Amino acid sequence: MSKIQLCLTLLLIALCPNIVIACDSLELLDGWVKKPLPGTKYTAAYFSIKNNSHGTQSINKFSSDQFKKVMMHSSSTNSEGITKMNPVSSLMLLPSQILEAKPGGIHLMLSVKNFELFNADQLISFSASCGKNSSWQFSLPMKSP
Ligand SMILES: [Cu+2]
């Protein structure tokens, strides 16, 4: 690639607002983890995340050492009032968008290792992955439901 071609390519990347880039500029506004009840295998985490960048951000995985598994789910209620949860493969945030994960909607489903390990107000560390070599760490407090 010539120098001019390289410059043009870089310029194009800089000018294009909808290119998906790394996990940059994600800001946690709020969030919490529901303290698992004794004997339960799953609990959930909720949050508000803002994309402060000029590019679209896409989170394709969450993980936490304090849980066996972290899954992205969305809940929906049909016309008969039955609520179903479906796996979500990625969460997309447009520039300046605030993504709200809340009860009855998008949430993180957490598979519990041992409920006795948790105390109320304990901080749970998460890592969000936005593609190759790009991750973002944040923590959420645990609260009793
Ligand atoms: Cu779920």
Side-chain angles (χ1 to χ4, degrees):
M1 200 187 277
S2 76
K3 263 189 184 165
I4 289 176
Q5 274 178 317
L6 184 67
C7 282
L8 285 175
T9 310
L10 291 175
L11 189 67
L12 209 65
I13 290 171
L15 291 176
C16 180
N18 285 320
I19 256 176
V20 176
I21 50 166
C23 233
D24 300 330
S25 314
L26 289 177
E27 182 190 1
L28 179 75
L29 302 178
D30 198 10
W32 61 292
V33 178
K34 199 199 276 181
K35 188 171 183 279
L37 295 169
T40 49
K41 286 186 177 153
Y42 294 96
T43 190
Y46 307 103
F47 52 72
S48 298
I49 290 173
K50 187 174 183 206
N51 176 7
N52 285 320
S53 76
H54 296 295
T56 301
Q57 305 273 352
S58 155
I59 305 176
N60 37 42
K61 193 177 159 45
F62 286 88
S63 56
S64 169
D65 290 344
Q66 286 142 293
F67 286 92
K68 243 190 248 173
K69 208 176 164 193
V70 181
M71 295 155 279
M72 296 185 280
H73 276 178
S74 80
S75 296
S76 58
T77 308
N78 69 12
S79 53
E80 282 127 50
I82 296 164
T83 303
K84 266 192 166 180
M85 294 195 296
N86 292 303
V88 176
S89 58
S90 70
L91 297 176
M92 190 101 112
L93 285 95
L94 298 173
S96 305
Q97 189 187 345
I98 295 174
L99 175 80
E100 273 194 84
K102 54 188 178 189
I106 287 171
H107 56 276
L108 298 183
M109 199 89 215
L110 310 170
S111 169
V112 176
K113 278 181 191 168
N114 182 353
F115 71 88
E116 286 163 347
L117 295 174
F118 298 116
N119 305 307
D121 295 323
Q122 168 175 1
L123 280 180
I124 306 295
S125 311
F126 289 92
S127 172
S129 151
C130 305
K132 257 193 191 168
N133 304 323
S134 174
S135 65
W136 172 54
Q137 330 296 325
F138 61 97
S139 348
L140 300 175
M142 182 159 270
K143 308 252 184 220
S144 289

